[in-house]
Each structure stands twice: as structure tokens, then as C-alpha cells.
Amino acid sequence: MHGTPALSTGSVTLRNARVPAAAMGRIGDGALEAVDIEIVDGRIAATRPTGSAPVAGASHDMDQGLVLPAFVDIHTHLDKGQIWPRKENPDGTWLGALLAVANDRERLWAASDIERRFDFALRCAFAHGTAAIRTHLDSAPPQHEISWALFEQMRERWADRIELQAVSIVGPDTLVNPAELDAVARQVKASGGILGGSVAAYDRSKEAMLRVVEKAGELGLDLDLHTDETDDPAAHALLHLAEAVLETGYKGKVMAGHCCVLTVQDERTVRTTIDKAVEAGIAIVSLPMCNIYLQDRENGNGDVRTPRRRGVTLLNEFKAAGAVVAIASDNTRDPFYAYGDLDGVEVLREGARILHFDHPQDQAWDWVRAVGSAPAAHAGFRYRAVIEPGAPADLVLFRARTWTELNARPQMDRIVLRSGRAIDTTLPDYRELDDLME
């Protein structure tokens, strides 16, 4: 399939394809439809029921194979990626990851180091079929000056391949420090980014959320926060974020990632938090692979044991309540997650298994939006991740025909089209980074 000449010109009809109705803009529709997709000069010209009209020009028979929009990875950490060979997590815990990354950052995160790892990550994502990425950048001063300047360069360098957004990530102590928060926020503003931070079990959580919301409102910035990445039931960062948005009348876009603590809180707290988050218009991002890796490793005495809790937030409940929901890669080969490759197929496949959004089966395809059009619309990407006339023909083509066939294998024989042309899907070799790991 990869050598098909018809897929090299940017003008072709994909015959006998199967497409989720949700990918064609019909929200809440989990049906699969048999269509012919006409591509002209790199854009989708028409989608028609299979065989309903004669096909003119070059064509490619999909043989009932699936076609999905290129992926949107809404929560990543490209500045941390690939450091595992030189800085492992000593015990697999969240705190172990935090301390390991801090040590690596303080010693080695010069612009030249981040640039090579960042570029490596983007080449992986591009080869897998991703068209838009939001990355969080460690931004505690003075790192903010290095990382944001580099991000601006990478955003320009990759503009015709992957659309990039960036979010600041700082600890809660920075959020309640007016001078430090202002310095970070003004750097974010100057770089065209999104303001963010991380708050879990923190005794000044409500104050931290109020301060970051107020600062975002002052500077006209959108927000994206790490909230409640903990199994301590005393954590209420998401609730405090929602309350801050409602109390201040903040009008920007708000996204919250992780929200793990809801899995260990009582039903009344859960319902209050979900309702407030929906009222505040907060989009929720689950990071299933990273959270299942980190959460519930600790039992207080250092023993190795099987985890009891998955750590992933209540995504089905948020979706049912009306929230915009998404899933994403999060970390890749760093102390927060030892694995991963920025592959939207892996995120979708593992998300289905971990989060149980595979039933009812006839609605499972609606979750394709969680790695595509749902986060794309909320984040304001130019790339919309839809299969509609006028949209760019940025598509991923599979031999798999059904949900179970798609999720049963890694789909390494996929074809990735960008502007209607098949790209080289060869992945970069880890050996490229060996000298950075010495």
C-alpha cells in the first residue's frame, strides 16, 4: 500500500473507505459509514456514499479499511521527552519522577539539549500521523527564558507539518508568588502561549487557582492546569479552579488535566466537582497511560505491590455531564512515564482499554473525537481534525475495518496522508540521542 502511486500526487479518490460519522462532524454519532473520499489539490473535495458516483482520475481502493483524521495530542511534555536513559525514575512514583526531572533539568536543560529531544519527539508524532500538539513547558524561573525561546523557534520550524501550542507548567508555590507568577505569565504572553501550572494536594490550593485565573484574565490568556494528580482525597484543585473561574467571571478557555483524585473521593464530592467544572466550561483531559503507570505505586513502606487503583479520572461521567473531554499521550520516555511514542493510535487503543469507553460498541467510534476534533476545537487549533469538504486531506489510512481490528494491533502498516500525499512513516532511531545520554 505504501508504494501506491495514486497516493503521491495530492489528488486521489479513496474508494470503499469506512469513516466514523463522528469524524465527519456528527457529534455523538458512533456509526461507521462507507464512503468515497475525493481529494483534490491536497484538500477534501467531497465525501459520498461508496459507489454512488463515478470516480474520475486516480483512485485508491481502501477495501473497507478505516480512514481517520490526523490526530490531535492535546497534552504532552516535549521538553522532558527521551531523558529516561540518563535519568530514570528510581521507584516509579510521582514524587520520584518530580525529583528526577528537577535534577536533570537543573544540570542539562540547555537550549541545545531540549532542541534535539523536542525535534526527535515531533518526528515520531509526525510519522505516526499527528497534525497538532499542545506541549507543557517547565517554566519555573529561570528555565522559562530558555524553553519558551526555543519553543518559538520550533513552532516556526514545524509550522507546515505540526501545529504547535505551548503551556507553562510551574509548581503551586510559584502560583501564589506574585512576582514569579507575573514573570512566567508575561513570558507566556510574549510567546503566544497558554498559562498553566500544577496543583494537587496543597494547603493553599484555592488561593493558587484564584491567582492564576486572575492573572490569565489580566493578560488575556487561556488556561491549562494540571489538577489533582494524586490519590490524596484531601485534594480539591479542580473544584477550586472551577470556583475561581465562576467567581471571577473569567471568559477564556480552560482545560484541566489528570483529575485523578476523583477516583478516591465520595460520591457527593465527585458530583459537586463535576457539576462545577461543567458549569465553568472546563475541558477535561485524561492521560490514561501515564496515570496508570504512576498512580497507586506507594503504600507507605516501599514494598512492591500490584496497584489497586487505575488513577484515571472519571472521563465517562464528565462526558455524560456535557464536558468537552480528551485523551492524550502526556510524557514519553522520561521519569513520569518510561514508555510511549506520541502515537495517537496507542493513545486511543489504551484509552479504550483503561477507561472502558469501548461499550456500548455502537457508540465507541464517537471517542475518536477525543484524539481529534474535540480538543482541536476547544484549543482553537487551525487544524480541525474532521473529514469534510474543504478540510485538508490530513488523514490516516488503515487496513483495519472495525473497532476491534483497529485496537487489536499497533497498526504499523498505516498510511499517513498530509495534504493528500503519503509521507515517509519511518521512525527516528533512538541512537540519534545517545550522545545526550552519556
Side-chain angles (χ1 to χ4, degrees):
M1 289 177 68
H2 291 71
T4 304
L7 299 178
S8 64
T9 65
S11 295
V12 64
T13 297
L14 304 177
R15 294 183 291 107
N16 199 18
R18 305 188 82 188
V19 176
M24 295 190 287
R26 292 197 274 285
I27 295 174
D29 192 337
L32 278 175
E33 297 188 10
V35 298
D36 294 339
I37 304 171
E38 184 184 359
I39 299 170
V40 177
D41 295 332
R43 290 192 170 271
I44 297 170
T47 59
R48 306 183 186 92
T50 291
S52 62
V55 173
S59 69
H60 175 78
D61 185 4
M62 288 296 301
D63 192 21
Q64 301 184 60
L66 294 164
V67 177
L68 300 182
F71 304 112
V72 175
D73 211 341
I74 199 63
H75 183 125
T76 68
H77 291 265
L78 303 186
D79 59 344
K80 290 185 176 75
Q82 311 300 329
I83 66 172
W84 182 273
R86 73 188 187 200
K87 183 55 68 174
E88 298 181 5
N89 185 325
D91 55 11
T93 65
W94 184 87
L95 182 59
L98 187 73
L99 296 175
V101 167
N103 178 271
D104 195 73
R105 181 178 61 242
E106 290 167 6
R107 293 187 305 115
L108 297 169
W109 286 23
S112 57
D113 175 76
I114 301 173
E115 179 181 13
R116 286 181 55 195
R117 294 185 289 102
F118 202 117
D119 186 75
F120 184 95
L122 289 174
R123 285 185 284 140
C124 293
F126 184 71
H128 285 308
T130 293
I133 291 178
R134 176 180 285 185
T135 181
H136 295 258
L137 299 177
D138 281 23
S139 297
Q143 187 65 44
H144 67 306
E145 296 178 351
I146 297 171
S147 295
W148 281 91
L150 174 63
F151 169 76
E152 291 182 50
Q153 297 172 22
M154 300 302 287
R155 180 174 56 192
E156 181 177 357
R157 185 184 306 172
W158 276 83
D160 62 345
R161 289 171 287 174
I162 295 180
E163 186 178 353
L164 290 173
Q165 293 181 351
V167 187
S168 60
I169 180 169
V170 295
D173 288 338
T174 296
L175 297 182
V176 298
N177 183 313
E180 289 190 3
L181 176 59
D182 186 69
V184 171
R186 292 190 182 281
Q187 177 66 69
V188 170
K189 177 74 172 179
S191 298
I194 297 114
L195 187 60
S198 178
V199 182
Y202 184 60
D203 58 1
R204 298 169 69 184
S205 171
K206 189 158 189 176
E207 178 189 354
M209 288 308 188
L210 185 60
R211 296 289 168 261
V212 74
V213 170
E214 289 175 336
K215 181 58 66 174
E218 174 191 334
L219 296 181
L221 297 169
D222 286 342
L223 285 164
D224 189 338
L225 282 298
H226 285 57
T227 60
D228 298 325
E229 192 177 1
T230 177
D231 59 4
D232 182 346
H236 298 285
L238 177 59
L239 178 61
H240 293 156
L241 173 60
E243 290 172 342
V245 169
L246 295 170
E247 290 168 12
T248 62
Y250 173 77
K251 300 302 182 185
K253 296 284 186 69
V254 189
M255 186 167 274
H258 295 290
C259 313
C260 306
V261 77
L262 290 171
T263 62
V264 297
Q265 291 176 323
D266 63 86
E267 190 59 34
R268 182 178 179 181
T269 299
V270 166
R271 180 44 54 193
T272 298
T273 302
I274 290 176
D275 289 348
K276 284 286 185 182
V278 172
E279 183 183 357
I282 299 173
I284 305 297
V285 187
S286 176
L287 296 314
M289 295 184 296
C290 187
N291 284 147
I292 206 169
Y293 173 79
L294 284 178
Q295 296 299 308
D296 203 29
R297 279 190 186 260
E298 301 173 77
N299 65 355
N301 59 16
D303 291 342
V304 176
R305 65 178 180 83
T306 303
R308 274 66 162 176
R309 302 180 180 123
R310 296 184 174 211
V312 292
T313 197
L314 308 183
L315 207 64
N316 288 286
E317 290 82 350
F318 275 111
K319 187 172 185 284
V324 173
V325 297
I327 53 176
S329 291
D330 206 5
N331 300 70
T332 47
R333 296 187 73 243
D334 68 38
F336 283 94
Y337 185 53
Y339 318 114
D341 202 39
L342 297 169
D343 180 2
V345 172
E346 182 185 24
V347 174
L348 186 62
R349 182 179 68 239
E350 295 306 316
R353 294 169 177 171
I354 296 166
L355 288 156
H356 287 180
F357 59 62
D358 54 341
H359 287 273
Q361 282 276 300
D362 62 352
Q363 291 298 311
W365 284 110
D366 185 48
W367 283 95
V368 170
R369 299 181 65 250
V371 291
S373 59
H378 186 274
F381 280 115
R382 295 186 304 278
Y383 173 68
R384 297 186 300 121
V386 292
I387 301 177
E388 297 176 346
D394 296 340
L395 306 170
V396 188
L397 282 50
F398 301 96
R399 291 290 296 163
R401 299 164 296 177
T402 63
W403 182 257
T404 55
E405 287 184 4
L406 182 73
N407 287 333
R409 294 176 177 172
Q411 307 301 328
M412 295 309 293
D413 60 348
R414 76 192 78 170
I415 297 174
V416 177
L417 302 186
R418 299 304 301 271
S419 298
R421 294 176 173 84
I423 68 165
D424 181 0
T425 55
T426 304
L427 292 165
D429 193 319
Y430 293 124
R431 291 167 182 77
E432 292 182 22
L433 302 177
D434 281 355
D435 62 303
L436 295 182
M437 305 302 139
E438 295 172 354

